[in-house]
Amino acid sequence: MADYTKVKGQLEKRLADLGARAARIEDDLAEPMSADSGERAVEAEDDDALQGQDAAIHREMDATVSAIRRIDLGTYGVCTACGGPIGPARLAVMPTTALCIDCARAAQG
């Protein structure tokens, strides 16, 4: 089994960075709306964009937590669909991936 200590450290740092970004977005979303109706419309559009960013960040956080868990369990680098190995180049580019390239392509249809 490969030593993924460095990868785990990078994933943990990424998770902390994502958590900080999510907290800033959630703080922005918690701010009260302006009393001015024109300003409120702009703020509502901004909030929609922030909510999309927040959702994307939380999906990435979930994937990162799952990757860390796979490292801890000794299953990191093993495709969760077919049980085959995930190529090192794929892991280097997408360290949170749980699928080998073949299974990822099949999942995209």
Side-chain angles (χ1 to χ4, degrees):
M1 180 169 93
D3 181 10
Y4 292 113
T5 305
K6 182 178 177 182
V7 173
K8 183 177 178 182
Q10 292 168 338
L11 289 169
E12 289 171 336
K13 181 183 181 322
R14 179 69 178 153
L15 186 61
D17 292 345
L18 290 167
R21 284 177 55 198
R24 285 192 301 273
I25 288 172
E26 289 162 12
D27 286 347
D28 286 346
L29 288 170
E31 289 181 12
M33 291 278 208
S34 171
D36 179 84
S37 63
E39 186 67 26
R40 246 191 337 261
V42 171
E43 289 173 355
E45 283 183 28
D46 289 346
D47 283 357
D48 286 345
L50 286 174
Q51 288 169 347
Q53 289 175 18
D54 191 51
I57 288 169
H58 279 87
R59 282 191 302 274
E60 188 174 348
M61 288 174 70
D62 290 345
T64 303
V65 167
S66 293
I68 292 168
R69 187 175 304 119
R70 288 191 305 277
I71 289 171
D72 291 342
L73 294 172
T75 60
Y76 184 77
V78 177
C79 179
T80 58
C82 72
I86 300 173
R90 181 165 170 77
L91 287 172
V93 173
M94 297 178 62
T96 60
T97 190
L99 299 175
C100 68
I101 191 70
D102 293 334
C103 289
R105 284 181 181 143
Q108 287 184 338

